Amino acid sequence: MPLLDLPEPYDFELSTARYRAFGTDLANLWHDGGLHRVVGRGEVRITTAPGGVDVEPLDREIEPVVRKLLGAEFDLDEFYAFAAGEPVLAALAQELRGLRPPIAVEPFESVVTSITAQQVSLHAAFAIRNRLIEQFGIRAVHAYAFPTRGRLVRAEPEELTAIGFSGRKAEYVVGLARSDLDLAGLEALPDDEVKSALTALPGIGEWTADWFLARHLGRARAWPAGDLGLRKAVSRFYGDSSLLSIGEVRAIGERFDPFQNLAAHYLLAGLLRAT
DNA sequence: TACCAGGTAAAAA
DNA sequence: TTTTTACATGGT
């Protein structure tokens, strides 16, 4: 099997846990011990291997996408060196050694996924998102290609409410598809300009923009302070029994600069493991 | 059965 | 300007 080498340390099971923790993800499908995803024209199967992962098939076009997908661009050594000076992170870094946050490789998919997860539980969000994928995506072998922006431009909001979207979220998703925002072009902008460009669209608030910075662009300083899961995690590790406010979580985030994104992922994974 | 869940925008105060 | 409310599904 073709090996794709990744920087050590890398823990495949730990890093892909979010694709299994809240139910099945038809676009990032855990199947028979491997992660299946449509890359380019076909489905790729990724499995763990010494020194990296096995990827089948693997070619020059697939390789950079899979590298990005698996979070190869994160520098864990620098983060661990930083974490060593902070007791909570130091413990989490040790416990979760090799965790590389996966990256959402497609910007449209990343935003739509966040919209589906607004306000509702992640279990509910996965269920609704899977119906969107089944209806508007294309099945390869096991996994589906996530619905393209071009396909959802032609969708009517009523088709989305029929599969469980709220009326507003249906408008948000179709509105995003039909907007003139160049999603791929956001990569060239600094964090604050990405946020203002995204939040200018209806249905995209600060939370959704923060997760776009964190999960799609992989920006080091992204810190979704408004995220309920992150608030719970920060409250557990840095507060007392009560839920810290968004402002308090934002303030605590400053101590992780410039590793807020990795810190957020380790705190969330730590919470998931602890509960 | 209620109630809550990795928000957002619009109405009301 | 700040607070309250509607939204709609899935799990417990």
Side-chain angles (χ1 to χ4, degrees):
Chain A
M1 292 270 280
L3 174 74
L4 191 157
D5 64 299
L6 288 167
E8 295 283 0
Y10 180 62
D11 186 323
F12 181 65
E13 295 275 333
L14 197 52
S15 300
T16 56
R18 61 172 273 93
Y19 295 128
R20 302 185 293 277
F22 306 100
T24 302
D25 177 344
L26 292 179
N28 299 283
L29 185 66
W30 189 259
H31 173 75
D32 193 21
L35 179 64
H36 292 234
R37 180 174 170 87
V38 176
V39 177
R41 280 271 166 221
E43 180 165 328
V44 171
R45 172 176 164 83
I46 306 167
T47 49
T48 188
V53 288
D54 281 323
V55 182
E56 182 65 44
L58 181 62
D59 64 26
R60 212 170 279 103
E61 292 178 15
I62 291 171
E63 174 169 343
V65 178
V66 173
R67 278 194 189 286
K68 187 174 177 65
L69 172 69
L70 299 182
E73 62 192 48
F74 288 112
D75 189 329
L76 293 186
D77 289 336
E78 281 188 5
F79 175 60
Y80 291 159
F82 172 85
E86 208 282 335
V88 170
L89 280 191
L92 287 173
Q94 189 162 32
E95 188 182 354
L96 303 169
R97 183 173 165 78
L99 168 61
R100 275 177 191 283
I103 289 290
V105 291
E106 295 295 332
F108 181 71
E109 176 178 347
S110 184
V111 180
V112 171
T113 295
S114 289
I115 290 173
T116 64
Q118 286 169 2
Q119 205 278 332
V120 298
S121 70
L122 288 182
H123 276 106
F126 268 58
I128 294 167
R129 193 180 89 119
N130 281 342
R131 294 201 291 269
L132 178 81
I133 293 170
E134 284 177 316
Q135 177 147 353
F136 297 100
I138 296 171
R139 185 174 183 179
V141 184
H142 302 286
Y144 284 72
F146 193 84
T148 63
R149 182 174 181 173
R151 175 64 188 92
L152 290 179
V153 161
R154 296 183 283 111
E156 292 303 327
E158 294 72 28
E159 295 179 273
L160 273 60
T161 56
I163 54 175
F165 279 68
S166 64
R168 290 228 296 246
K169 286 188 185 177
E171 297 281 354
Y172 297 161
V173 168
V174 174
L176 169 69
R178 294 177 180 173
S179 76
D180 57 6
L181 181 62
D182 173 15
L183 284 168
L186 295 175
E187 188 179 17
L189 303 178
D191 293 2
D192 57 338
E193 291 180 30
V194 173
K195 284 179 76 164
S196 51
L198 283 171
T199 55
L201 295 177
I204 302 181
E206 187 171 22
W207 176 89
T208 303
D210 278 339
W211 275 123
F212 184 86
L213 288 172
R215 286 242 162 82
H216 171 63
L217 294 178
R219 295 290 168 88
R221 292 184 157 94
W223 179 252
D227 182 85
L228 184 56
L230 185 58
R231 287 176 63 199
K232 286 180 186 168
V234 172
S235 303
R236 178 187 183 94
F237 294 114
Y238 293 94
D240 51 28
S241 57
S242 66
L243 184 66
L244 295 175
S245 71
I246 293 174
E248 289 168 322
V249 171
R250 183 175 291 115
I252 289 171
E254 291 174 10
R255 75 180 66 173
F256 305 130
D257 187 75
F259 296 102
Q260 289 94 326
N261 191 355
L262 281 167
H265 278 93
Y266 273 73
L267 287 164
L268 282 166
L271 179 69
L272 205 58
R273 168 162 296 206
T275 53

